[in-house]
């Protein structure tokens, strides 16, 4: 029996903004698609997906637009109804289009208000007949030539359909999709595509101000402060860099956020935060920077949780957390990653992992990147080499995603709406940014 993995892959518009995620599945039938509704393997795969979504859809897939390919079995099980209409795009492929019963279900879901997309659209009568009833056209960049893609997009736009070019794994395919006026793009290259570089003061504003309030309390909660700093790559980097500077002349360098907080002390931590608030009061995090802040947060949690299952790892959970957190640092701070890692006391194993993907830490980091890219074969190979049970990876991934989404929502909501009211004495202690 093959391993089962479920992962989200971002879909971005021409400006680089994420418009939604495709939910990709790998298991007995290799994908959501290729289902004729008859084989025992198809039934088993449908059951696996259905059971997983039943447990997870309300937790981690709400609040974003999820593009998901549904087989005949999943349509018959009424699986789309696990999602709110505004959260789901029902994708169908040829196996569903040629199945009369499946199309009956698709049409019913469309009447109920669900959005519909067609995978690997072709200039064939059965596809053209669907145009009136669909919302998205998906075109595979690897199987359709440039002229075909151009014609499909022109026809789609003439009928007010949004066109997504998929399977983009290179700059060449990315630029081609842009030149052909695709509405959105998806693929390994798109997921990693850098939309913008920020600067060293790009942090999550509402999280920062919430942190300011947390450290001014009479008895600050160190775990709460650690969590807030640990959710932000720029703050984590700045704190570790400062604490390990010559000013403090430490005999042993602080290598985790908790150690840095305890070394600095809450008094000096307050001063550092006040200084940031005064010098960076007008800075805003743009959407591109926010994307990398959130990605670093997800990687940090995923690395930290996975290291607990891996064998013979030379780093702790806290160090694995920093490895994931600092993986996007060169996108947030306009400098080479190699130079940035010299400024903070991460271990040699972590540096080698982030820069060259070598050693067991490099294997763990590559496993996280392979999962993001839905590289199923590489995921299985790396998990085996690390001694991580592959059946655990998807569960860990979605638990991390749920935790990250929950905390991110708290951190990025306007902080005044989330905090308890301060009395006049407390309010006087909070500096005005």
């Amino acid at each position: 029996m093959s391993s089962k993995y479920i992962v989200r892959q971002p879909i971005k518009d021409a400006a680089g903004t994420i418009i939604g995620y495709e939910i990709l599945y790998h298991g007995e039938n290799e994908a959501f698609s290729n289902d004729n509704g008859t084989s025992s393997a198809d039934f088993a795969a449908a059951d696996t997906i259905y059971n997983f979504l039943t447990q997870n859809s309300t937790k981690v897939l709400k609040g974003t637009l999820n593009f998901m390919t549904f087989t005949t079995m999943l349509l018959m099980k009424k699986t789309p109804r696990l999602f709110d209409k505004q959260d789901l795009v029902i994708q169908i492929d040829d196996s569903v289009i040629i199945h009369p019963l499946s199309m009956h279900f698709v049409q019913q879901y469309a009447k109920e208000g669900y959005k519909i997309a067609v995978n690997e659209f072709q200039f064939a009568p059965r596809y053209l007949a669907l145009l009136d009833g669909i919302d998205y056209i998906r075109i595979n960049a690897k199987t359709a030539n440039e002229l075909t893609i151009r014609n499909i997009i022109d026809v789609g736009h003439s009928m007010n359909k949004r066109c997504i070019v998929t399977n983009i794994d290179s700059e060449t395919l990315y630029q081609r999709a842009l030149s052909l006026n695709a509405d959105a793009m998806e693929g390994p290259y798109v997921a990693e595509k850098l939309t913008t570089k920020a600067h060293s003061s790009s942090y999550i504003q509402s999280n920062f101000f919430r942190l300011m309030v947390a450290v001014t309390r009479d008895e600050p909660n160190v775990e709460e402060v650690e969590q807030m700093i640990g959710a932000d790559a720029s703050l984590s980097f700045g704190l570790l860099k400062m604490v390990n500077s010559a000013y403090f002349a430490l005999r042993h360098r602080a290598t985790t956020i908790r150690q840095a907080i305890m070394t600095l002390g809450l008094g000096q931590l307050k001063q550092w935060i006040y200084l940031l608030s005064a010098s960076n009061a007008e800075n805003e995090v743009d959407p591109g920077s926010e994307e990398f802040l959130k990605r670093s947060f997800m990687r940090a949690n995923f690395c930290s949780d996975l290291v607990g299952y891996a064998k013979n790892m030379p780093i702790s959970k806290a160090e694995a957390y920093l490895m994931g957190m600092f993986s996007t640092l060169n996108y947030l701070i306009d400098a080479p990653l190699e130079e940035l890692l010299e400024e903070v006391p991460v271990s040699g194993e972590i540096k080698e992992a982030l820069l060259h993907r070598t050693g067991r830490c490099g294997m763990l980091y590559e496993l996280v990147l392979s999962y993001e890219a839905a590289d199923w074969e590489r995921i299985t190979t790396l998990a085996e080499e690390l001694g991580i049970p592959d059946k655990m990876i998807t569960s860990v991934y979605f638990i991390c995603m749920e935790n990250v989404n929950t905390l991110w929502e708290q951190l990025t909501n306007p902080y005044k709406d989330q905090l308890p009211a301060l009395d006049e004495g407390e309010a006087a202690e909070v500096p005005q940014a």
Side-chain angles (χ1 to χ4, degrees), residues 201 203 205 208-209 212 273-285 431-433:
S201 57
Y203 45 72
Q205 284 288 76
F208 176 74
F209 287 117
M212 289 174 59
I273 293 170
Y274 294 169
L275 179 63
L276 286 180
S277 72
S279 60
N280 299 303
E282 301 303 320
N283 288 325
E284 293 288 343
V285 179
Q432 300 299 309

Side-chain angles (χ1 to χ4, degrees), residues 83-145:
F83 297 82
D84 291 335
K85 297 177 182 65
Q86 66 268 21
D87 294 339
L88 180 67
V89 176
I90 298 173
Q91 294 181 166
I92 58 174
D93 58 19
D94 208 51
S95 66
V96 170
I97 294 170
I98 64 176
H99 194 300
L101 184 58
S102 297
M103 287 310 299
H104 169 76
F105 280 104
V106 171
Q107 290 162 4
Q108 183 59 42
Y109 290 128
K111 288 180 182 177
E112 293 173 13
Y114 287 91
K115 301 294 185 183
I116 309 296
V118 174
N119 286 329
E120 305 217 18
F121 191 91
Q122 304 170 31
F123 277 122
R126 63 183 181 279
Y127 284 83
L128 295 172
L130 296 173
L131 278 174
D132 283 339
I134 66 174
D135 304 280
Y136 294 89
I137 293 173
R138 291 168 56 85
I139 313 155
N140 191 329
K142 289 295 190 68
T143 59
N145 61 40

Side-chain angles (χ1 to χ4, degrees), residues 52-63:
F52 182 84
L53 293 176
T54 301
Q55 298 170 22
N56 291 278
S57 63
T58 58
K59 298 177 183 177
V60 297
L61 303 179
K62 288 186 70 65

